[in-house]
Amino acid sequence: MKALDLVSEPDYVNLMKSKLDPEGLGVILVGQFLQEFFPDQDSVIPNSFPVYHYNGLKQSNHNEKVRYKLMLIL
């Protein structure tokens, strides 16, 4: 938060963490973060994006190259 020139006092950071991550999973979604701290700015968050998977084992990939591609649609 300091790098974004936002308030970075520990009590405030903990308050925002509990607000943006109420389940305590350690995950804050970019959309929620942007809405909270930059509500007046138009942000383009894609509806879909590619996700690539590679498990590090050559033999598990065709021609020993990463080819598995998953498209997530939000």
Side-chain angles (χ1 to χ4, degrees):
M1 292 185 57
K2 187 181 274 187
L4 295 171
D5 200 26
L6 298 171
V7 178
S8 58
E9 296 174 11
D11 290 338
Y12 182 73
V13 171
N14 289 332
L15 175 71
M16 286 294 100
K17 281 172 43 179
S18 65
K19 181 177 181 179
L20 297 174
D21 180 23
E23 295 87 19
L25 300 175
V27 176
I28 295 175
L29 301 177
V30 71
Q32 291 175 308
F33 182 86
L34 292 175
Q35 286 176 344
E36 181 66 34
F37 293 104
F38 304 99
D40 298 331
Q41 293 184 4
D42 290 332
S43 62
V44 178
I45 299 173
N47 289 332
S48 65
F49 56 91
V51 175
Y52 298 94
H53 167 73
Y54 175 63
N55 66 8
L57 301 174
K58 288 182 180 181
Q59 66 271 20
S60 68
N61 295 292
H62 181 69
N63 292 332
E64 298 183 355
K65 294 183 179 180
V66 178
R67 297 206 180 250
Y68 181 76
K69 182 177 177 182
L70 171 70
M71 182 66 79
L72 289 180
I73 300 175
L74 306 174

